[in-house]
Amino acid sequence: MRSRTSFFNKAFSLSLLRRFWPLWLLWFAVLTLAILGPAGNRPETYESYTAYVSELNYVLLLTGAIMSGLCIIAGPIMAMAMLGYLYNPRSANMVAALPMKREEAYFTAVLTGLAPMLLCEVLTWLLMLLRFGGIEGVNSAYIHQWLGLVVMGNIAFYGMACFCGTLTGNTVVLPLVYLVLNFTVMAVETVTKGLLAVLVYGYHWDGQIFDWLSPIPHFLDGLGVDKVDRFDETSMAYYVEGVPYLASLCAVGIVLVLLGALILKKRHMETAGDVVAVPVLRPIFRVCMAVGTGLVFSAAFADGYFANLMGGPSLAAVTFLLLILGAALGWFAAEMLMKKTLRVFRSGWKGLAVVCVCLVLPFLLAELDVTGYEKRVPDPETVESIGYLYSDYAPLREPESIAAFCDFHRRLVDHKAENDGARSNRYTTVYARYTLKDGSALLREYHIPNDEQTQSDPDSDIAALETLYNLPEAVMQRVGADMGVSAENIDYAYVTVMEQTNRSSKIITERATIELTPEQAASLYEEGILPDAREGNIGVSFAWTSDERRAEESNVNLRLTLRREETADGRRPGAAPDYGYSSLTRSSISLKVLMRSGHTIRWLEENLDLTPVPAEALEK
């Protein structure tokens, strides 16, 4: 008589429950302890009852987000316990001898691990409803969302861990495979871009493109709780960020559990204890180990060490050698793990050679610049703005400034041979972000020599960079000409003076502060700062320091702090969108008065009876 097909075995499930019940008890304890935080809040400790309820709603949602993140750890721990029968030859043979199919044993183990965890979450949810559901102002929907977040996180990461458990026959390897599954894409993209930065002149990368394929880091990065209306302080409406991605991970977890059953159906029980339990995956494991080790090994040493010693073709040759060496280490390490022996060097060389060629070839093509990446300079007519430093500078927008920067960019392209090895000496990093009129962006990063020889050469790249620093548009940005400075929007202003005093026969340098009224500050700005800025005598920036340049600095600094009217998106009315440069959103202006800042010095002498002196004249 043919036996019926089943996907759950009660006796096997009870056996697992008797062995591992402390794990579910621990999970229930963690969940209940997590809600003690909101339970500890008392209305009398807040300024108002509205503030208390608002904070309580926020914490309830935040706790759900945190507990869903904790499932990242709980998932593999439970999977290691439930699928432990696959990793010991004795238990694997015993389960295989039972009158049930492999799929039945697998689904029994998976469901036995999942169901009690879900039960713990439902019980905690009921406790939360009893404790917080009756409080006036508490949004019960947030408590329901708490349950949804934790359940989705549980299914997502437990499902991934169970899938990883079917790929290996070793308990210790399961969490390692789990981590690899969750971090590989992000790690490979990071090290690949790091190598491209070493090999491709001017290459710059900004952020991750495929990070969504690395579940754990992408989920944690996007997880959070925020207000629905950021600019309404009385609002009590909150939402959890990253819920759609978590829901997709939940669906992926279910699919991976089913896929794990298909893999286990073809898996030999004799592979219990093996690092890779599925024969068809062994060559894939070998290749992945070789490629991953090659990329990480070369990126770590080429970018972190050799790039500071050499450049150009010599650095490229060393990078290719490191790729090959790292690939060989990964290839034979995989062989040792799978064969459980150190005698693995007699075979596999042909396969390794193919992997090395496939690994090195893309980077060789990048080094040869077959795409023309290194030589591309945008047409100034197609450029909307150029950000040319990581911070402190707003993007250049005036046509004259954009044309000047594009000319400088072409100069750097022509000087590749001189600049390609600049990291091995004293250098300055040049960053450029072109925002084109079609909405696209073009990023570049260069390292140019900045030493005594280039500083003394008026035709050097570092001298040309300093000219860019002090374009009229850049100087006017530095003095805040685009911020509409007036007595009406000056919050406070002061002048800082370094002075010398004689105390106990010792000359001491001290800082004195002179506060200005809004009217005085506006007068100083209109009559002193702006005229000097137009003449290039204040707000200038130097690409290097020297004794001559330090001699230009006076003992006086200026600072104006402004009140700004902001729109809902946090910008001044009429201001350009924020591209990540601090000067677009700054509310203060800090300037050092130079000995050639004639208009500013005249105002200080006439209005404050203050005569600046060279800063280097002060004794230290």
Side-chain angles (χ1 to χ4, degrees), residues 332-343:
F332 289 112
E335 286 286 281
M336 293 176 187
L337 289 172
M338 290 188 294
K339 295 183 178 180
K340 301 177 182 178
T341 178
L342 299 179
R343 299 179 180 180

Side-chain angles (χ1 to χ4, degrees), residues 294-305:
L295 290 173
V296 173
F297 187 80
S298 57
F301 286 96
D303 188 30
Y305 180 73

Side-chain angles (χ1 to χ4, degrees), residues 426-605:
R426 292 169 55 187
Y427 68 92
T428 292
T429 300
V430 179
Y431 167 77
R433 180 188 180 94
Y434 292 90
T435 300
L436 305 181
K437 292 180 179 178
D438 62 3
S440 61
L442 184 145
L443 304 179
R444 291 294 184 270
E445 181 178 319
Y446 300 94
H447 306 288
I448 60 177
N450 188 359
D451 49 30
E452 290 79 4
Q453 181 179 355
T454 57
Q455 292 170 7
S456 60
D457 182 5
D459 194 42
S460 64
D461 288 338
I462 193 65
L465 177 62
E466 186 170 274
T467 301
L468 282 179
Y469 285 172
N470 297 304
L471 289 171
E473 180 184 4
V475 173
M476 298 307 289
Q477 288 174 351
R478 236 166 274 147
V479 300
D482 60 337
M483 301 175 69
V485 179
S486 66
E488 287 72 26
N489 68 348
I490 294 177
D491 192 16
Y492 64 91
Y494 57 86
V495 178
T496 302
V497 186
M498 299 302 297
E499 297 177 332
Q500 289 182 337
T501 58
N502 194 332
R503 292 186 181 179
S504 302
S505 301
K506 291 183 179 181
I507 298 178
I508 301 175
T509 302
E510 295 182 325
R511 185 190 304 270
T513 301
I514 303 174
E515 294 188 6
L516 303 178
T517 65
E519 291 73 20
Q520 285 178 314
S523 175
L524 170 60
Y525 186 80
E526 291 292 337
E527 300 174 20
I529 295 175
L530 279 183
D532 280 330
R534 295 189 184 102
E535 297 172 6
N537 292 325
I538 199 170
V540 297
S541 181
F542 299 124
W544 70 90
T545 58
S546 63
D547 293 338
E548 295 79 6
R549 294 178 173 193
R550 280 190 289 269
E552 291 189 38
E553 299 177 353
S554 76
N555 65 327
V556 177
N557 293 321
L558 309 175
R559 184 175 181 87
L560 286 71
T561 300
L562 310 179
R563 294 185 301 270
R564 296 181 305 148
E565 178 186 356
E566 294 183 348
T567 57
D569 58 0
R571 297 187 283 113
R572 292 182 295 104
D578 188 349
Y579 290 96
Y581 299 89
S582 60
S583 59
L584 288 174
T585 56
R586 71 181 173 188
S587 58
S588 63
I589 304 169
S590 297
L591 300 170
K592 179 175 286 294
V593 177
L594 304 178
M595 294 307 298
R596 55 188 167 95
S597 305
H599 298 281
T600 303
I601 291 176
R602 186 179 306 112
W603 191 96
L604 295 172
E605 291 174 340

